[in-house]
Amino acid sequence: MRSIWNGAISFGLVSIPIKLVNATESHSISFRQIHLGDGGRIRYRKVCELDGEEVPGAEIGKGYEEADGSVIPITDEDLAQLPLATAKTIEIMSFVPAEEIDPLQMDAAYYLAANGATAAKPYTLLREALKRSRKVAIAKYALRGRERLGMLRVVDDVIAMHGLLWPDEIRAPEGVAPEVTVSVREAELDLADALMATLGEVDMDSLHDDYREAVEAMIAAKAGGAFEPTEAVVEPAGGQVIDLMAALEKSVRAAKASRGEAGAEGGAGAEGGAGAEVTPIRSKARAGAGGAAAAAPKAVGGKKSTAASAKKTAAAAAAGTKKKATTGKSAAGKSASGKTASGAGGSAGGSAAAKKTGAAAKKAATPRKRSSA
């Protein structure tokens, strides 16, 4: 890889000659501006505002424009004479845990390559020291006419440097967070955790730019004359979320289905503690109360029949001793039938009715004995 800067790492009294190599590259597809009438390229010309003449690159320099509009020329020689200690040196200032670096500060990334055989030993020393300490180095360096902040860390067996924005270049997030007060339920957090667990595992090497591939295929088709434009399928934009729980459950099911996991149709399952269909517990309670209410009339009915039997028993007792015995048997049979009719759910009510029936029969029979005597 071609180096874009040569210098040295200043590590205390140790100097490590290095070459700066770009660690990233852009695969974005760039387009030219053309004249739609004939396809001719549209170019930008650098023209002097004073004489209207086009100026070649060799005659173009730098200048600082002041508030009143006047321009002060600045040459490369002027900048080279500034007392910049980091002009050709990456000066390490401190070592800190990587967690202390805000990702918002991350900028361009570079690889630092050892420049020459003599640089191999100190380069390896710094690399192994960074590995063992599990820290990153904070350094200053100068590139493209300005001093910058950097972070050195180890990637495989190479020292990489990330350009960092200066702390005062990070804007405070004022007025960005929602201004309304929102409360989040535990069940919603559980479903969010289930969705994160489903989507969280991905092979980073499998990710690629689908749009760029589509553009390249379109360009190849147009170049071959076989391109047929098709209407793009645009998914409708999401509206207001009416039921957050339902949206989370649907997202978990869709994520699991896309991964081919079993039980995707059944909802979140054990993860998140909620399923696709929620059975209201309150309706079950109402149903149970209704069942008890429905069983109550049977017990009431049993009491009515018991009272009627008692009346019939008292009337039959007036006929004589022989009919008393028959009435007693009839009352016992009716009380037994009341037990059978009430079933398992009303056995307690039936037995209570039988006891009341027997008590009523004895009560009705006792006065008749005294009157006959």
Side-chain angles (χ1 to χ4, degrees), residues 42 64 86 112 184 222 247 270 301 304 326 337:
I42 305 298
Y64 177 79
T86 57
L112 304 182
V184 180
K222 288 181 74 73
K304 286 183 178 178
T326 306
S337 64

Side-chain angles (χ1 to χ4, degrees), residues 229-246:
T230 58
E231 188 173 347
V233 179
V234 180
E235 301 238 348
Q240 183 180 4
V241 177
I242 304 299
D243 190 344
L244 182 58
M245 288 288 291

Side-chain angles (χ1 to χ4, degrees), residues 23-167:
T24 62
E25 58 185 0
S26 175
H27 290 166
S28 298
I29 298 175
S30 59
F31 299 100
R32 303 288 188 185
Q33 289 188 327
I34 62 171
H35 184 201
L36 295 177
D38 54 15
R41 280 188 59 182
I42 305 298
R43 297 180 181 271
Y44 290 97
R45 295 183 178 181
K46 297 180 180 181
V47 178
C48 178
E49 291 182 352
L50 297 179
D51 57 16
E53 297 291 332
E54 184 176 357
V55 181
E59 298 180 11
I60 297 176
K62 300 181 182 69
Y64 177 79
E65 184 176 0
E66 294 190 313
D68 58 359
S70 60
V71 178
I72 301 176
I74 303 295
T75 65
D76 292 337
E77 290 76 12
D78 296 334
L79 296 174
Q81 292 176 2
L82 292 177
L84 185 59
T86 57
K88 283 291 182 180
T89 304
I90 299 175
E91 183 179 355
I92 295 178
M93 300 178 295
S94 64
F95 295 87
V96 299
E99 294 79 14
E100 293 187 9
I101 305 300
D102 191 340
L104 286 174
Q105 288 186 258
M106 295 290 187
D107 203 355
Y110 308 94
Y111 290 134
L112 304 182
N115 192 4
T118 57
K121 183 65 178 290
Y123 184 96
T124 304
L125 173 65
L126 176 59
R127 183 190 67 195
E128 296 304 317
L130 288 172
K131 280 184 180 181
R132 189 167 70 171
S133 66
R134 296 184 180 180
K135 292 183 178 181
V136 297
I138 302 300
K140 283 184 177 182
Y141 66 102
L143 182 65
R144 299 187 179 99
R146 54 171 292 199
E147 189 172 52
R148 303 168 189 261
L149 192 63
M151 179 190 76
L152 277 64
R153 69 184 184 96
V154 178
V155 177
D156 294 334
D157 288 332
V158 176
I159 299 175
M161 182 174 69
H162 295 265
L164 299 179
L165 299 176
W166 296 98

Side-chain angles (χ1 to χ4, degrees), residues 286-343:
R286 289 177 181 171
K298 292 183 180 180
V300 173
K303 288 181 180 179
K304 286 183 178 178
S305 62
T306 304
S309 301
K311 288 181 179 180
K312 288 180 181 180
T313 305
T321 306
K322 188 175 182 179
K323 288 184 178 180
K324 286 178 186 177
T326 306
T327 305
K329 291 179 181 179
S330 174
K334 286 186 178 181
S335 62
S337 64
K339 288 182 180 180
T340 306
S342 61

